[in-house]
Amino acid sequence: MATAGGGSVAGPGSRSFLRLLPFCVLLAASVSGDTGVIHVVEKEEDLQWVLTDGPNPPYMVLLEGTLFTRNLMEKLKGRTGRIAGLAVSLAKPSPTSGFSPSVQCPNDGFGIYSDSYGPEFAHCREILWNSLGNGLAYEDFSFPIFLLEDEDETNIIKQCYRDHNLSQNGSAPAFPLCAMQLFSHMHAVISTVTCMRRSSIQSTFSINPEIVCDPLSDYNVWSMLKPINTSGTLEPGDRVVVAATRLDSRSFFWNVAPGAESAVASFVTQLAAAEALQKAPDVTTLPRNVMFVFFQGETFDYIGSSRMVYDMEKGKFPVQLENIDSFVELGQVALRNSLALWMHTDPMSQKNETVHNQVEELLTTLEKSGAGVPTVVLRRPNQTQPLPPSSLQRFLRARNISGVVLADHSTVFHNHYYQSVYDTAENINVSYPEWQSPEEDLNFVTDTAKALADVATVLSRALYQLAGGTNFSNTIQADPKTVTRLLYGFLVRANNSWFQSILRQDLRSYLGDGPLQHYIAVSSPTNTTYIVQYALANLTGKVMDLTREQCQDPSKIPTENKDLYEYAWVQGPLNPNETDRLPRCVRSTARLARALSPAFELRQWGSTEYSTWTESRWKDIRARIFLIASKELEFITLMVGFGILVFSLVVTYCINAKADVLFIAPREPGSVSY
């Protein structure tokens, strides 16, 4: 498939999508752009004009967001000769019936279940997890599709349509007509195998290679409760409890991936849990260590988790698979019904009695941890049902481990906007009083923040007990203020005072005035990755009494060790009653690990074992509206111009032929005698 990153993403099929403010664009247009007469479709009956009745095809359809459905898109797809492109306006409010352009069985074929292992669970035969998925994001369209995010821009286009294109009583409107041209040509074609082969040939034989696509890649964020030496690997007897979640999401349109329920709520909860656990008095003496990991690229067939498993197997990561004692993953957790938090496990690995007993102990520990939090009720789904789409599946492919996925759903997703443009703050009921200032919103503890903080408390207490802690479990408490700040920063306004204080000065440009988008992309680390890394460092790390120079090069200080810790000189909070900040050095174990599919390291571009998503390159993305004349007038203008050209050629020839007559050179004056 192709998904654009300034271009398109290519996976097993061929498709591409991109974004240009105020437009977002999906799919590659022709090299010279695609032009069509604008027609506004506000109800399905309006399509008749575009598909059959309209006398001036091709048409550029301006579609209301509520009509952006698979059924309507199939109608447009079958009439490509009359469709030049599509501009979709954002539906406000979100469609009440839900909208998910993803498939009903996310990441199918790349998890643990297959026709040879757990065939009864393969291809979501038992549960269609994303039951509302219409698969639009995985379809191939031959015309460009833009998303109109700005309501003012949408109104300008509609006004141009009303002024020039609105038909009266079914008759054809008079020229000139309002038209739109979309430029979004993608360089990559067909599939990942083809575009990577072409790029490889260019790189091998050309001095100035023209790369046509790039692999989707970024970095996983990870940290340890107790520092470990990252220059080597753990001893086989060292035991580690893994707490995992995902960082990324997507939608039908490139780099429009709010991911409130599908990603943000879970990684915010895990950040709060990491902070709460780090504050336990005896964490340094626990028998087992805890690793917090935030996987990138999980939306695209488990890029981050498959790479970490690959590195663990090859001895390229400090923690090895045999070091993993248990695995706790946070799935979608923001839309709980009746306080329930469901504990999903894998029935196939539990056929091994040892693993079954370990899983039972894990579930019992979680239930005990939730007993002290009345707003969270841990429940077990049917023990014979499979795991939902999760990073745990990639680890189980490599080794039988005791693991659980915590989610707000027992079967199908509660998220009706899974991987869509509508999976926003509103979807998880994050809202603020209208009269508050942005700074007041940042610190306003919403009901959603309180609910997620309770989940974080359960998780942190469970991790404490799984790591061997016994004395302080009931005192561990996640901070709702931390959760609400994180939700506000990721879903509402990234450029806020708290995010500014936790980042390095050179990363300020990563903070925009709106919400962050959580698409993995190809230029990395992305905004989300950096901010999660620094949030994790500030929440779990320690402020050190070091100068800026010492913080940036701690190797000169005997008591500090870069193999054990990461050091960051961050901007710090504002000086009270001042405009300058109080910078400081933060020491933590928060690090980055490459999240690039092993398929590209192995040059197995057609792999069915690992993700093979790539993103097309492009040069120009833009759109414009203008008035066009009738074909007849254009033909007359052409003929007149051609006539003038012929006439001018004839005149030029005649003048040139008679040049000696028309242009007589003056005689040179003869010699004058006196």
Side-chain angles (χ1 to χ4, degrees), residues 396-429:
L396 289 172
R397 282 177 70 133
R399 185 183 180 90
N400 275 349
I401 57 178
S402 62
V404 61
V405 177
L406 302 178
D408 55 22
H409 54 89
S410 61
T411 53
V412 299
F413 295 163
H414 289 170
N415 186 3
H416 292 172
Y417 306 104
Y418 181 72
Q419 293 181 0
S420 85
V421 295
Y422 303 112
D423 190 10
T424 59
E426 290 75 15
N427 185 35
I428 60 172
N429 303 313

Side-chain angles (χ1 to χ4, degrees), residues 445-489:
V445 180
T446 63
D447 291 339
T448 299
K450 294 175 184 176
L452 292 178
D454 290 338
V455 175
T457 297
V458 172
L459 175 61
S460 55
R461 292 180 181 181
L463 294 173
Y464 176 78
Q465 294 179 39
L466 291 170
T470 57
N471 298 326
F472 300 98
S473 179
N474 292 333
T475 64
I476 296 174
Q477 189 78 35
D479 187 357
K481 190 172 183 179
T482 295
V483 176
T484 208
R485 284 177 167 182
L486 289 166
L487 288 176
Y488 180 81

Side-chain angles (χ1 to χ4, degrees), residues 271-526:
L271 285 169
E275 179 192 34
L277 181 58
Q278 193 71 47
K279 293 178 179 179
D282 59 344
V283 290
T284 57
T285 60
L286 294 176
R288 290 177 283 277
N289 210 336
V290 177
M291 180 172 79
F292 292 95
V293 58
F294 302 78
F295 291 117
Q296 263 287 12
E298 296 302 273
T299 298
F300 295 97
D301 300 332
Y302 304 121
I303 292 175
S305 56
S306 63
R307 179 54 185 259
M308 182 166 284
V309 171
Y310 176 82
D311 287 344
M312 286 179 171
E313 290 177 324
K314 300 298 181 182
K316 298 179 180 179
F317 193 77
V319 179
Q320 305 296 291
L321 286 171
E322 56 265 28
N323 296 128
I324 298 177
D325 182 78
S326 53
F327 194 107
V328 182
E329 180 174 353
L330 281 182
Q332 300 179 85
V333 294
L335 298 176
R336 289 185 293 131
N337 290 338
S338 304
L339 309 181
L341 187 64
W342 296 89
M343 302 181 292
H344 297 268
T345 57
D346 170 45
M348 296 299 296
S349 58
Q350 290 188 72
K351 291 180 180 180
N352 180 303
E353 186 177 354
T354 301
V355 175
H356 174 75
N357 293 336
Q358 291 173 343
V359 171
E360 281 297 315
E361 291 178 9
L362 174 59
L363 297 181
T364 301
T365 301
L366 280 163
E367 288 168 339
K368 289 180 180 177
S369 301
V373 184
T375 55
V376 180
V377 179
L378 277 299
R379 291 186 177 177
R380 303 188 186 195
N382 190 324
Q383 294 296 298
T384 61
Q385 79 175 40
L387 282 171
S390 53
S391 306
L392 174 59
Q393 293 200 32
R394 291 301 302 193
F395 283 80
L396 289 172
R397 282 177 70 133
R399 185 183 180 90
N400 275 349
I401 57 178
S402 62
V404 61
V405 177
L406 302 178
D408 55 22
H409 54 89
S410 61
T411 53
V412 299
F413 295 163
H414 289 170
N415 186 3
H416 292 172
Y417 306 104
Y418 181 72
Q419 293 181 0
S420 85
V421 295
Y422 303 112
D423 190 10
T424 59
E426 290 75 15
N427 185 35
I428 60 172
N429 303 313
V430 173
S431 60
Y432 304 90
E434 294 182 359
W435 60 84
Q436 289 187 169
S437 66
E439 192 65 24
E440 289 172 327
D441 287 346
L442 172 65
N443 295 291
F444 179 77
V445 180
T446 63
D447 291 339
T448 299
K450 294 175 184 176
L452 292 178
D454 290 338
V455 175
T457 297
V458 172
L459 175 61
S460 55
R461 292 180 181 181
L463 294 173
Y464 176 78
Q465 294 179 39
L466 291 170
T470 57
N471 298 326
F472 300 98
S473 179
N474 292 333
T475 64
I476 296 174
Q477 189 78 35
D479 187 357
K481 190 172 183 179
T482 295
V483 176
T484 208
R485 284 177 167 182
L486 289 166
L487 288 176
Y488 180 81
F490 285 110
L491 295 177
V492 181
R493 183 185 174 91
N495 192 15
N496 60 73
S497 60
W498 190 61
F499 273 13
Q500 291 169 5
S501 70
I502 65 174
L503 290 179
R504 297 196 317 253
Q505 187 175 13
D506 60 305
L507 298 178
R508 288 180 300 176
S509 60
Y510 282 69
L511 301 177
D513 287 333
L516 289 172
Q517 304 301 329
H518 309 291
Y519 168 63
I520 178 176
V522 296
S523 56
S524 56
T526 60

Side-chain angles (χ1 to χ4, degrees), residues 45-68:
E45 292 75 18
D46 296 337
L47 273 182
Q48 188 69 23
W49 184 266
V50 173
L51 299 178
T52 57
D53 297 348
N56 301 302
Y59 286 95
M60 193 66 68
V61 178
L62 177 56
L63 187 68
E64 290 295 320
T66 52
L67 296 177
F68 188 50

